[in-house]
């Protein structure tokens, strides 16, 4: 529905109301045989297919980068930009008694491409106009007024997640196609992205951007908010629909339609970005009283065959890419399993409350791989972990590509699968452990703690439990398990020998008879040359 059409309808309603208030004598003069007016046809309501049509149209035209910011904004550093804050009392979406609130991010610093944000009320989208009185600029002063058509860097939605009296941040969209969502008692850590192109290919990565958003104004009592987004880049345009459900584990249902401008060989669907600096399995950096620093500590994959895989994250010396070949993967995610404050000892950053993001594809995603990209980082300020689904077939221009998935933000992932889980991974130089057996030169020992599932039950007869290890590009010297009453599970020891410079891939799980008791631990290791 256009604005002019809506005004015509409102004018018609006003006339009708005036007519109904006319004197009875006037009404009596109307001919009894006058035909009743034809009902006004319902006007179209803005929705996902309108964004799809926009994406299809712009894909047929050359890509145009967004306008440049005024110089005073482009010169802001992070601290100055952060000093510009939205005034909470001017939050949007409060009409109709909605339980949601919207606040805008001011452009500047790294956020140099302003975006348009619309609110959809009664099916009609209306842009949110930029106004300086929406913001508190703190110590920042500008010599000239900023343009009235400036736009925004992004926005965030608030909802009473943790306290019915307080509007907590629920989801934010800012920077390229990045977004982050929270559930109850969670603190921001990792990020999701709309799309990844060329991730892990040096010098070839392209960052599509969300250039326009539409937020449906929720009604009173609504437990869901809907956001539409228009994505654009040199290689592709796309339409996105986000149904956001705030909860203990908040859920985002996502539908996507992509329109390539050119062939895309390396596409990443449902990409996640996180940080792993140091942990119990990777102590390359340990000159800190905080023994672990990470937003996520592992990649979890649920395969089409039903196998669950756990891959601890690392901070490698050079970029590393691991692929888990799949077709129609059931789920994958970057997880934060370690929830023990004493392992982090950070009073401000609360790493133990960083959420895990679990991705569940909707429909047939076909052949492809779950890909994990690990980049080296020298501190905890850089995101150096990427996980995504990479389709086997390239995306070709002239063809529409649709897919959907569900993203869940959670603290406790123990109920995602019923089996035992990996809770610790360590490595050390092997010891004989009293057997008198000599230790092989160059051998490395990996110690893996399995807990949960049915393992506490099997502790009553531990001799029936065995480890099933395997290795590619190396050899296993020995592997054994011992009961671990501290975790109500088992501790596995795997001694391997690998040629210097060779990358080995290890796997191990526990079983009793023919029954698999745990997920599969997966870990790469390369001894220094």
């Amino acid at each position: 529905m256009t604005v002019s059409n809506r005004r015509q309808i409102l004018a018609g309603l006003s006339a009708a109301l005036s007519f109904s208030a006319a004197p009875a004598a006037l009404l009596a003069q109307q001919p009894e045989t006058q035909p009743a007016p034809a009902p006004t046809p319902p006007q179209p309501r803005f929705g996902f297919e309108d964004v799809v049509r926009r994406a299809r149209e712009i894909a047929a035209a050359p890509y145009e980068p967004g306008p440049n910011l005024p110089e005073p904004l482009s010169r802001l550093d992070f601290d100055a930009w952060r000093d510009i804050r939205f005034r909470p009392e001017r939050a949007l979406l409060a009409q109709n008694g909605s339980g949601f609130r919207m606040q805008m991010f001011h452009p500047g610093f790294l956020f140099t491409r302003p975006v348009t944000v619309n609110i959809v009320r009664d099916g009609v989208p209306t842009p949110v106009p930029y106004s300086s009185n929406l913001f508190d600029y703190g110590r920042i002063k500008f010599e000239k007024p900023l343009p009235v058509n400036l736009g925004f860097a992004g926005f965030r939605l608030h909802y009473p997640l943790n306290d019915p009296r307080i509007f907590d941040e629920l989801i934010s969209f800012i920077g390229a196609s990045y977004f982050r969502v929270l559930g109850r008692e969670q603190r921001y850590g990792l990020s999701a992205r709309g799309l990844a192109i060329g991730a892990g290919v040096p010098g070839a990565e392209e960052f599509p951007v969300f250039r326009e958003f539409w937020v449906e104004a929720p009604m009173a009592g609504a437990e869901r908010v809907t956001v539409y987004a228009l994505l654009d880049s040199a290689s592709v345009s796309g339409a996105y629909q986000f149904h956001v459900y705030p909860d203990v584990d908040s859920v985002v249902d996502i539908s996507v339609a992509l329109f390539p401008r050119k062939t895309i060989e390396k596409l990443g669907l449902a990409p996640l970005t996180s940080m792993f600096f140091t942990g119990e399995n990777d102590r390359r950096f340990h000159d800190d009283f905080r023994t672990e620093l990470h937003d996520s500590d592992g990649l979890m994959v649920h395969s089409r065959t039903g196998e669950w895989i756990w891959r601890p994250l690392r901070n490698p010396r050079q970029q590393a890419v691991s692929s888990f070949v799949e077709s129609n993967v059931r789920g994958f995610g970057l997880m934060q399993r370690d929830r023990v404050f004493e392992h982090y000892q950070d009073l401000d950053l609360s790493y133990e409350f960083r959420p895990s993001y679990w991705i569940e594809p909707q429909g047939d995603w076909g052949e492809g791989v779950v890909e994990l990209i690990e980049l080296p980082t020298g501190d905890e300020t850089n995101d150096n972990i990427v996980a995504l689904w990479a389709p086997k077939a390239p995306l070709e221009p002239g063809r529409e590509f649709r897919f959907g998935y569900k993203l869940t933000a959670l603290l406790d992932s123990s109920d995602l699968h019923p089996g035992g889980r990996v809770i610790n991974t360590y490595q050390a130089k092997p010891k004989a452990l009293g057997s008198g057996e000599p230790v092989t030169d160059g051998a490395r020992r990996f110690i893996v703690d399995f807990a949960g599932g049915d393992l506490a039950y099997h502790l009553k007869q531990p001799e029936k439990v065995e480890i099933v290890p395997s290795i590619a590009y190396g050899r296993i010297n020995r592997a054994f398990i011992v009961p671990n009453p501290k975790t109500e599970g088992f501790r596995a020891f795997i001694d391997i020998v690998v040629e210097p410079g060779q990358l080995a891939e290890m796997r191990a799980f526990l079983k009793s008879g023919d029954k698999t008791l745990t997920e599969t631990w997966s870990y790469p290791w390369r001894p220094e040359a």
Side-chain angles (χ1 to χ4, degrees):
M1 180 194 301
T2 64
V3 174
S4 61
N5 285 340
R6 185 165 181 259
R7 286 175 177 164
Q8 290 172 4
I9 292 174
L10 291 174
L13 288 173
S14 299
L17 290 172
S18 299
F19 182 78
S20 62
L26 179 61
L27 294 177
Q29 297 175 13
Q30 304 303 316
E32 295 182 2
T33 58
Q34 181 178 350
T40 304
Q43 297 298 310
R45 298 178 62 87
F46 184 90
F48 179 51
E49 291 304 321
D50 294 282
V51 188
V52 171
R53 183 169 58 254
R54 287 278 302 277
R56 185 184 295 113
E57 290 171 353
I58 65 173
Y63 173 66
E64 294 184 3
N68 294 324
L69 281 181
E71 185 180 357
L73 292 176
S74 61
R75 288 190 286 104
L76 293 178
D77 60 18
F78 174 70
D79 290 331
W81 174 78
R82 188 175 57 175
D83 210 32
I84 305 175
R85 301 178 183 273
F86 191 90
R87 297 180 183 274
E89 67 274 14
R90 298 188 178 276
L92 308 169
L93 303 184
Q95 294 89 335
N96 304 322
S98 163
F100 296 86
R101 299 291 184 271
M102 182 166 70
Q103 298 185 15
M104 320 306 291
F105 290 110
H106 201 284
F109 182 49
L110 298 177
F111 312 111
T112 58
R113 175 167 180 161
V115 301
T116 302
V117 181
N118 304 272
I119 295 179
V120 181
R121 289 192 177 91
D122 300 324
V124 180
T126 303
V128 178
Y130 170 83
S131 174
S132 59
N133 64 16
L134 294 175
F135 297 92
D136 179 349
Y137 288 85
R139 58 187 171 86
I140 306 300
K141 306 295 182 184
F142 298 110
E143 294 181 1
K144 299 179 180 179
L146 296 172
V148 294
N149 61 345
L150 181 61
F152 304 97
F155 68 96
R156 56 188 178 184
L157 299 176
H158 294 243
Y159 185 84
L161 270 176
N162 304 296
D163 187 321
R165 301 162 299 176
I166 299 173
F167 287 92
D168 305 297
E169 190 163 337
L170 166 65
I171 189 170
S172 66
F173 294 86
I174 183 171
S177 65
Y178 286 82
F179 63 97
R180 301 193 295 179
V181 63
L182 294 173
R184 190 169 300 168
E185 303 299 336
Q186 298 174 14
R187 305 291 185 271
Y188 275 143
L190 80 166
S191 301
R193 292 157 63 183
L195 199 67
I197 298 176
V201 181
E205 185 162 8
E206 180 179 313
F207 290 88
V209 300
F210 287 137
R211 57 183 277 184
E212 188 167 2
F213 294 94
W214 296 262
V215 181
E216 286 193 354
M219 300 300 292
E223 298 181 353
R224 177 187 93 176
V225 63
T226 298
V227 177
Y228 307 107
L230 179 65
L231 178 133
D232 200 13
S233 80
S235 296
V236 66
S237 69
Y240 284 70
Q241 175 180 264
F242 302 88
H243 290 316
V244 186
Y245 300 85
D247 209 330
V248 174
D249 299 333
S250 291
V251 172
V252 187
D253 279 326
I254 304 170
S255 301
V256 185
L258 298 178
F259 300 90
R261 287 188 171 93
K262 59 179 71 171
T263 300
I264 304 175
E265 297 287 347
K266 180 70 184 297
L267 185 69
L269 307 186
L272 304 174
T273 299
S274 192
M275 181 278 293
F276 182 94
F277 180 51
T278 187
E280 84 271 358
N281 62 297
D282 186 338
R283 300 209 182 279
R284 188 158 64 92
F285 296 96
H286 58 271
D287 190 19
D288 196 309
F289 77 95
R290 302 168 300 168
T291 56
E292 298 196 35
L293 298 168
H294 48 73
D295 290 336
S296 306
D297 55 9
L299 169 72
M300 188 162 70
V301 180
H302 189 195
S303 75
R304 175 182 57 84
T305 63
E307 181 185 27
W308 290 88
I309 300 169
W310 176 255
R311 163 65 154 80
L313 299 179
R314 307 170 302 150
N315 181 2
R317 295 182 183 275
Q318 59 187 21
Q319 177 178 302
V321 179
S322 301
S323 297
F324 300 84
V325 180
E326 268 298 336
S327 60
N328 288 320
V329 63
R330 296 187 186 182
F332 69 94
L334 289 176
M335 320 301 286
Q336 182 81 315
R337 277 189 176 172
D338 193 336
R339 300 294 177 187
V340 180
F341 166 77
E342 287 75 15
H343 295 172
Y344 303 102
Q345 290 292 346
D346 198 307
L347 297 173
D348 297 319
L349 298 179
S350 301
Y351 283 110
E352 67 274 17
F353 292 114
R354 304 294 171 98
S356 301
Y357 283 177
W358 180 245
I359 303 295
E360 295 177 89
Q362 307 294 312
D364 184 355
W365 278 21
E367 293 185 86
V369 297
V370 175
E371 189 169 274
L372 174 66
I373 303 167
E374 298 167 301
L375 302 169
T377 182
D379 58 54
E380 62 188 290
T381 63
N382 298 314
D383 283 350
N384 64 320
I385 304 295
V386 178
L388 51 81
W389 170 262
K392 180 179 180 180
L395 214 59
E396 301 289 352
R399 298 183 60 185
E400 177 179 343
F401 177 63
R402 294 209 184 202
F403 67 98
Y405 61 99
K406 181 171 74 173
L407 183 156
T408 304
L410 39 83
L411 286 179
D412 184 5
S413 60
S414 60
D415 59 352
L416 282 178
H417 69 88
R421 306 186 305 153
V422 175
I423 60 171
N424 293 307
T425 298
Y426 306 101
Q427 55 176 295
K429 184 177 179 179
K431 295 181 180 179
L433 287 181
S435 66
E437 185 178 337
V439 176
T440 304
D441 289 341
R444 194 70 176 166
R445 169 164 292 170
F446 289 85
I447 303 101
V448 184
D449 284 328
F450 292 92
D454 236 6
L455 293 184
Y457 168 85
H458 287 278
L459 279 176
K460 300 177 178 67
Q461 196 175 21
E463 67 274 11
K464 294 291 186 179
V465 179
E466 61 180 306
I467 184 173
V468 183
S470 61
I471 190 171
Y473 311 110
R475 80 172 187 271
I476 297 174
N477 264 8
R478 59 181 174 176
F480 59 96
I481 59 173
V482 297
N484 186 348
K486 299 295 184 181
T487 63
E488 296 188 317
F490 290 82
R491 174 164 286 183
F493 297 84
I494 307 169
D495 292 354
I496 67 169
V497 178
V498 180
E499 292 296 323
Q502 176 65 59
L503 178 64
E505 292 281 350
M506 297 170 283
R507 289 167 60 92
F509 63 92
L510 304 185
K511 72 172 188 175
S512 177
D514 293 332
K515 182 180 180 182
T516 298
L517 299 178
T518 69
E519 64 190 3
T520 300
W521 171 79
S522 174
Y523 202 76
W525 187 67
R526 186 196 308 269
E528 294 186 12

